[in-house]
Amino acid sequence: MKVGVVKESAPGERRVALVPETVPRLVQAGLEVLVEQGAGDSAWFPDDSYTAAGAAVITTDKLYATADVILTVTRPEPGRLRTGQAVIGMLAPLTDPRLARSLAERGVTAVSLDGLPRTLSRAQGMDALTSQANVAGYKAALLAADAYGRFFPLLITAAGTARPAKLLVLGTGVAGLQAIGTARRLGAQVSGYDVRPASKGEVESLGATFIELTTGVSAAGEGGYARELTAEERDAQQAELAGHIARQDVIITTAQVPGRRPPLLVTADAVSAMAPGSVIVDMGASPLGGNVAGSVPGETVVTPNGVTIIGAENLAASVPTAASNAFSRNISALLLQLVSASDSGERALNIDTTDEIQAGVVVAHGGEVVHPAVAKLLAAESANQGS
Ligand code: NAD
């Protein structure tokens, strides 16, 4: 079985799905590893490092023509894939169900790491959402420190004393907790807030203060995720958070609800009540809107009252070597889980959606969109078009 590693094509995407260190693991499992020329360049893995690890570096055309399985970080180019081929990556099928449909129509087996059942202990080594959120949370704290015009730590020098920065992280899942840890290591005075009650202990275990709202919004949803708030809960939350936000120098927001637009946590009024020189990093920034009023994905804006709002997009791609190292371990663990050997020793993907992991990750197979949630989204879309 031939496994192909492609060069990512999305703008600003510097990660690569497989790093040289992981190649021997796949080779030992009886797989042949093909790497598109230059695939690892942006993450500082030159072609010769792949060759030295036991992979064959080949042209783009040859790779798509010969690989049985294509490994990618983000969206592949469906037009390049053919019937019988498989693609594994972060395909975001709940936000881009049409990609899943076009892959199914081409007879491509599509496997997406985003759908992994994350609380299953045997799946943890495959959890790319976690590994990439970790990298992104780290980078968010560094971006905030870089944009902030003062120090994060308490500094006592002959030229005066600088008080530590007050930093609040809104949404303390994987990325938020890493942002808290990193900001604490930089010396900031850190607090955190989340709607899941379980996160209080996690925030406090990092030495940060957990903010509890008197409105007591508690929104633990399924699979460890948060549920969407009702309009009343959202209004109460925004109003009470505004008071806390006004007292901060730096805010980092990471709040997400699976399959929904990110919740608005920092309103325009809350931003206008912040002091000049304050910094907000919105990790929820998206074309549909983010966690912060006025944030623009991929851009930094400065409000009339002097607040810098960074619309952080795909931060994991900006720490490409670390992010690729982790992603490579995740994707190879999933790949090896999917591969089986025939009596003749021939390796092939063994798609079986009765398996709990596969039920989460396999999106398209045998010409059909097989993932129920994605199929439901597509059916709703066609119904809307029909009406
Ligand atoms: P996520 O990216 O979906 O969301 C980030 C955070 O935003 C979450 O903590 C969520 O509760 C919070 N949030 C959503 N709406 C909010 C709102 N209106 N106000 C404030 N906060 C809001 O989350 P994630 O980082 O992917 O983690 C989700 C959960 O999965 C966590 O419970 C995490 O511990 C769990 N998890 C478990 C495992 C495991 O068991 N191995 C692995 C990874 C994650």
Side-chain angles (χ1 to χ4, degrees):
M1 187 174 127
K2 294 186 170 68
V3 178
V5 182
V6 292
K7 187 169 172 61
E8 298 295 316
S9 56
E13 184 51 76
R14 296 181 55 192
R15 292 170 291 177
V16 60
L18 197 80
V19 304
E21 186 192 78
T22 324
V23 171
R25 229 181 122 197
L26 301 188
V27 173
Q28 275 154 24
L31 309 180
E32 202 177 316
V33 181
L34 311 173
V35 178
E36 181 178 349
Q37 279 168 351
D41 281 354
S42 309
W44 310 113
F45 298 109
D47 286 349
D48 57 6
S49 62
Y50 284 98
T51 317
V57 176
I58 59 175
T59 63
T60 310
D61 289 346
K62 212 167 158 199
L63 183 118
Y64 281 100
T66 52
D68 301 303
V69 179
I70 300 279
L71 303 186
T72 171
V73 179
T74 62
R75 202 179 191 284
E77 290 173 46
R80 284 210 161 259
L81 300 166
R82 59 182 160 75
T83 304
Q85 222 164 22
V87 61
I88 310 179
M90 297 228 273
L91 313 180
L94 293 178
T95 44
D96 187 7
R98 289 179 194 181
L99 171 67
R101 184 173 55 201
S102 87
L103 291 169
E105 281 167 1
R106 289 179 167 269
V108 172
T109 295
V111 177
S112 185
L113 284 147
D114 327 47
L116 199 77
R118 300 168 75 191
T119 45
L120 203 65
S121 62
R122 71 186 169 99
Q124 280 176 16
M126 309 168 195
D127 189 350
L129 281 179
T130 291
S131 74
Q132 304 305 293
N134 240 320
V135 177
Y138 161 82
K139 188 62 186 269
L142 298 188
L143 278 184
D146 188 40
Y148 185 51
R150 301 169 187 251
F151 294 114
F152 266 23
L154 166 75
L155 278 189
I156 303 171
T157 72
T161 298
R163 65 165 177 80
K166 290 201 194 82
L167 184 147
L168 170 62
V169 176
L170 298 174
T172 51
V174 179
L177 291 174
Q178 185 55 253
I180 288 177
T182 307
R184 290 256 310 144
R185 285 192 286 276
L186 289 171
Q189 218 171 64
V190 183
S191 50
Y193 165 75
D194 200 293
V195 279
R196 286 179 302 105
S199 60
K200 179 178 183 328
E202 292 163 350
V203 168
E204 289 175 347
S205 74
L206 292 172
T209 311
F210 189 77
I211 291 184
E212 273 171 281
L213 302 188
T214 56
T215 41
V217 174
S218 167
E222 279 172 25
Y225 290 106
R227 64 165 170 83
E228 194 173 29
L229 301 187
T230 63
E232 294 78 46
E233 286 173 330
R234 187 198 55 213
D235 293 347
Q237 184 195 52
Q238 287 174 350
E240 198 176 345
L241 274 181
H244 291 278
I245 290 165
R247 291 192 284 277
Q248 304 295 323
D249 302 303
V250 180
I251 307 275
I252 297 175
T253 68
T254 79
Q256 299 281 352
V257 177
R260 307 259 173 217
R261 77 169 283 286
L264 182 71
L265 301 180
V266 184
T267 59
D269 285 347
V271 174
S272 59
M274 292 183 84
S278 306
V279 173
I280 307 178
V281 178
D282 182 3
M283 290 182 66
S286 79
L288 299 172
N291 296 148
V292 181
S295 74
V296 182
E299 284 182 33
T300 297
V301 293
V302 180
T303 64
N305 65 317
V307 177
T308 302
I309 306 178
I310 301 174
E313 235 189 359
N314 198 6
L315 289 184
S318 68
V319 194
T321 314
S324 302
N325 278 335
F327 189 86
S328 179
R329 283 181 215 123
N330 299 144
I331 201 167
S332 56
L334 176 61
L335 173 65
L336 293 176
Q337 160 86 22
L338 297 175
V339 169
S340 65
S342 67
D343 293 342
S344 62
E346 194 62 28
R347 304 296 194 270
L349 286 191
N350 177 21
I351 299 298
D352 168 16
T353 50
T354 60
D355 171 77
E356 204 177 349
I357 290 181
Q358 293 210 31
V361 296
V362 179
V363 177
H365 184 58
E368 305 279 339
V369 171
V370 294
H371 195 287
V374 183
K376 202 170 145 193
L377 279 176
L378 286 166
E381 201 179 280
S382 339
N384 277 343
Q385 275 162 5
S387 62

